[in-house]
Amino acid sequence: MNNRELFRPTSSYVFAFLGFFFISLLVYVNFLDFGFASGMVAAIWGALVCAIFYQIFLHPAVIFYDEGLEIINPLSRHRIGWHEVDDIETRYTMSIITFDRKGKKGKIQAFAAPAPGRYHSRTIHQSEMRGLNLKENNVIRAGDSPRTNSGAAAAIARSKLDQFQRFKSAPSVAYEFHFNYGAIVINLVIFAIGVIALVFSN
């Protein structure tokens, strides 16, 4: 697929860095205060927490292409062609409204592009909404603001969808779904090692 554009909020990197930093600090203190054995147990459990932080903050993303997009959530990956997109909304997250093979409407939410809380709607100015390709019959939500993660991702999606429809591009991307079994396996393995290490350390 062409013209790859990755969307992942800057805040995700910040939260992940802070999480990794504090977990590393706690593990280091455990080594200093309680010795090698206790420090190793703390390191294993710290690795589990860091893995979860990675899966929550750094793994999720939305990747846009000229032909479609990929929505990567903590435990799933969806690939959707623009020809299968019926609408784009920002109620709770940036979400793709699409139809399955039986014509049933469905929604795919992007974990990496959450909508803001109710308070943000009070700070929205009309000028923010200009040029965002919003349909006239759509309710303007706080999540549509380009200052929000959902709004920024939705603006890219609407621009790509509009371009695809304007040039009448031929469909070239089939819908794909993948479950992130790797994350489950990694978490379970680290958890099991942590339990064994905890038992032997006692």
Side-chain angles (χ1 to χ4, degrees):
M1 293 196 287
N2 300 312
N3 295 326
R4 181 180 186 272
E5 186 172 351
L6 175 69
F7 176 86
R8 181 182 289 121
T10 304
S11 58
S12 295
Y13 295 100
V14 174
F15 290 138
F17 171 79
L18 290 175
F20 295 156
F21 175 77
F22 284 114
I23 293 300
S24 301
L25 191 61
L26 287 173
V27 171
Y28 177 69
V29 169
N30 259 275
F31 271 106
L32 290 181
D33 291 349
F34 303 106
F36 181 79
S38 179
M40 283 303 297
V41 174
I44 293 168
W45 288 104
L48 175 61
V49 175
C50 286
I52 293 171
F53 278 5
Y54 172 82
Q55 291 152 18
I56 292 175
F57 295 116
L58 294 182
H59 181 68
V62 184
I63 307 175
F64 299 96
Y65 301 94
D66 289 345
E67 300 86 355
L69 77 164
E70 285 187 52
I71 295 177
I72 304 170
N73 292 330
L75 295 178
S76 63
R77 177 190 291 258
H78 304 263
R79 177 176 288 187
I80 312 125
W82 291 121
H83 63 286
E84 295 185 304
V85 176
D86 181 62
D87 198 6
I88 298 161
E89 71 166 40
T90 58
R91 186 172 184 182
Y92 301 112
T93 66
M94 190 278 283
S95 304
I96 298 298
I97 310 299
T98 184
F99 290 92
D100 63 16
R101 298 296 175 270
K102 297 178 182 178
K104 185 178 178 182
K105 183 178 284 190
K107 181 188 295 186
I108 301 171
Q109 296 182 317
F111 191 89
R118 293 180 181 178
Y119 175 78
H120 185 82
S121 61
R122 303 175 193 173
T123 68
I124 295 177
H125 193 272
Q126 261 189 329
S127 60
E128 292 181 28
M129 300 302 177
R130 292 173 188 162
L132 294 185
N133 295 326
L134 297 175
K135 294 180 181 178
E136 290 181 4
N137 59 342
N138 277 3
V139 175
I140 305 300
R141 302 184 185 277
D144 286 317
S145 167
R147 292 191 288 120
T148 65
N149 293 326
S150 57
I156 299 171
R158 289 180 179 122
S159 174
K160 290 282 189 181
L161 177 60
D162 180 64
Q163 179 182 325
F164 181 86
Q165 293 173 339
R166 201 153 24 95
F167 289 102
K168 295 182 170 59
S169 304
S172 59
V173 177
Y175 175 77
E176 293 180 17
F177 169 80
H178 300 283
F179 186 80
N180 189 6
Y181 291 103
I184 301 296
V185 171
I186 289 171
N187 291 347
L188 289 176
V189 168
I190 299 175
F191 179 79
I193 294 172
V195 170
I196 294 169
L198 196 60
V199 169
F200 277 97
S201 68
N202 291 332

